[in-house]
Amino acid sequence: MSPGKVTDAIGWLQSAKERLLSLAEPDERKPAERPRVGLALAGGFARGIAHIGVLRILREAGIPIDLVAGTSVGALIGAAFCAGTPLGEMERIGATTSFTDFGRWTPSWLGLATNQRLEKFLAKFTGVKTFEEMAIPLAIATTDINAGISVYYTRGPVGLPLRASCAYPGLFVPIQYEGRTLVDGFLTSPVPVEGALLLGADVVIAVYLEASNLEEPRTFTDVLSRSFNIIQRHTDLTWRQQADVIIEPDVKPFVWDDFTRTPDLVAAGAAATLAALPEIRAAISGEKRDSAA
């Protein structure tokens, strides 16, 4: 074979290799340097402000967050974070929030209020309106109240899935979307670990916000939320087995509409995350999985 033909053959082989690599999945072309880390954020009305403290410590500690799944207020905080809203701005808005920012009393047979204002409330954090615009992949958990199953949204408009995820049964009117009747994601995904796994997480950090029943209920919403909390304590807790790390901020002293206590809620989230950092680092490095094996 002449030198020219040898050169042509080598060039063809290199070109073929490049074409094959371009068709391969990313994980096949280049070994992952670290596992993909997902965050699963629970609901809890104002108590969800604690998620801001969690995010702040994770960022300061250099813990990567590759994707987020959220339920209810966890979906709202997740959407703002994934869209790139500064944490300081999120905290500022949280401190001035009231029920009328996202809810309007319109008693009906399906609920006492509508959360139609929630879409405008999200606009205070970001101008992003679709999942595709998010800087970090996001999954929002909702519940199909007719089928009794979780439905996750990761594509298309964010507004209606977010409203659905926050449509607390009995309080807010259900959302009609894509042929489904949707309500709050906490019914079937109290902590949406499954959503993080669906997005491709290898390690899932779950944040759970447990409410307290120590004081007498003050309002109808107290009675309603406490009833659902009791049900959840006696239902399937599969998410605990699926999560690699569980962060549980001490938010029991706070009630559902304690927005004025935003600094304390952020501090509670930060303190719990600081305590969990060694376990988080072990999970990401694989030490926790190796020891479990």
Side-chain angles (χ1 to χ4, degrees):
M1 183 181 294
S2 66
K5 291 183 178 180
V6 171
T7 302
D8 290 343
I10 293 175
W12 184 88
L13 287 171
Q14 289 176 336
S15 177
K17 181 179 180 181
E18 290 171 358
R19 288 197 300 271
L20 286 172
L21 288 175
S22 68
L23 294 173
E25 293 295 326
D27 289 342
E28 294 174 340
R29 284 184 275 136
K30 183 179 179 180
E33 295 180 359
R34 61 167 178 78
R36 285 169 56 82
V37 179
L39 199 58
L41 304 179
F45 282 97
R47 288 183 289 269
I49 293 172
H51 291 318
I52 299 174
V54 173
L55 290 164
R56 177 167 293 158
I57 296 303
L58 292 177
R59 175 166 286 177
E60 291 176 355
I63 303 299
I65 301 174
D66 298 302
L67 52 94
V68 178
T71 288
S72 199
V73 69
L76 174 61
I77 296 293
F81 176 76
C82 290
T85 306
L87 297 178
E89 181 68 4
M90 292 168 64
E91 183 174 353
R92 183 192 69 78
I93 294 174
T96 59
T97 296
S98 66
F99 177 82
T100 56
D101 286 311
F102 54 84
R104 181 169 63 89
W105 297 110
T106 55
S108 73
W109 291 110
L110 295 177
L112 297 177
T114 173
N115 66 4
Q116 189 172 2
R117 294 175 177 173
L118 189 58
E119 293 189 55
K120 290 185 177 180
F121 185 64
L122 177 62
K124 290 185 177 182
F125 295 94
T126 175
V128 170
K129 295 183 178 181
T130 67
F131 286 94
E132 288 79 4
E133 295 176 83
M134 295 289 174
I136 297 173
L138 171 69
I140 289 181
T142 68
T143 299
D144 183 324
I145 198 168
N146 292 324
I149 60 172
S150 295
V151 181
Y152 285 91
Y153 290 92
T154 60
R155 297 180 180 179
V158 172
L160 283 176
L162 177 60
R163 285 181 57 197
S165 187
C166 297
Y168 203 83
L171 177 59
F172 290 116
V173 174
I175 302 299
Q176 300 295 328
Y177 186 56
E178 295 187 340
R180 296 180 181 272
T181 301
L182 303 171
V183 295
D184 202 310
F186 89 91
L187 285 178
T188 50
S189 301
V191 186
V193 174
E194 181 185 21
L197 294 172
L198 288 172
L199 285 177
D202 300 305
V203 172
V204 180
I205 302 169
V207 185
Y208 177 57
L209 307 173
E210 183 177 359
S212 171
N213 291 334
L214 298 179
E215 297 180 1
E216 288 295 317
R218 304 171 303 158
T219 64
F220 162 80
T221 52
D222 286 343
V223 174
L224 191 62
S225 64
R226 291 183 184 193
S227 298
F228 281 119
N229 289 335
I230 292 170
I231 292 172
Q232 283 191 339
R233 291 197 188 101
H234 298 278
T235 54
D236 180 28
L237 295 179
T238 302
W239 67 266
R240 285 191 176 272
Q241 283 73 51
Q242 293 176 319
D244 295 282
V245 180
I246 301 174
I247 300 174
E248 300 189 59
D250 183 10
V251 294
K252 291 181 181 179
F254 305 94
V255 294
W256 74 276
D257 59 349
D258 263 343
F259 295 103
T260 58
R261 299 182 66 186
T262 286
D264 297 327
L265 284 161
V266 172
T273 309
L274 276 171
L277 281 178
E279 186 180 3
I280 292 171
R281 291 193 172 104
I284 294 174
S285 67
E287 294 175 13
K288 184 177 179 180
R289 293 190 296 276
D290 292 342
S291 62

